Amino acid sequence: MAQNSEVKQRLHLVFGGELTTLTGVQFRDLDKLDVVGIFPDYDSALTAWKSKAQMTVDNAHMRYFIVHMHRLLDPEQA
């Protein structure tokens, strides 16, 4: 049973892929998107994002993003 004092989940999605240009956010191949995972809070999502971004630092077109899923699921509570 959940308690009122329990911290509310704020889900975050981390994903990335190769972009067509350095200035836009259009992916070269949607079939090759790398879905890193869904995380229960921003801090753990940021840790995963940093790790993946560091692994792809040699490819300027490769970008990773953090999506604040909790804002999409419950916009009133963002």
Side-chain angles (χ1 to χ4, degrees):
M1 181 182 289
Q3 297 178 3
N4 289 342
S5 63
E6 190 175 311
V7 176
K8 192 169 186 175
Q9 267 187 347
R10 297 202 177 262
L11 297 178
H12 292 78
L13 166 67
V14 178
F15 78 101
E18 195 167 12
L19 302 177
T20 56
T21 68
L22 295 177
T23 58
V25 186
Q26 184 168 345
F27 294 97
R28 188 174 308 252
D29 186 350
L30 294 177
D31 290 331
K32 293 184 179 177
L33 285 181
D34 179 14
V35 178
V36 179
I38 298 174
F39 300 88
D41 54 54
Y42 181 78
D43 289 338
S44 58
L46 183 61
T47 299
W49 173 85
K50 283 182 181 179
S51 175
K52 291 303 265 190
Q54 183 63 37
M55 290 168 47
T56 60
V57 71
D58 291 335
N59 183 349
H61 284 90
M62 191 69 165
R63 292 287 197 292
Y64 280 86
F65 300 90
I66 298 175
V67 178
H68 300 265
M69 291 179 62
H70 62 94
R71 293 180 183 169
L72 301 173
L73 296 171
D74 192 359
E76 299 293 321
Q77 299 299 318

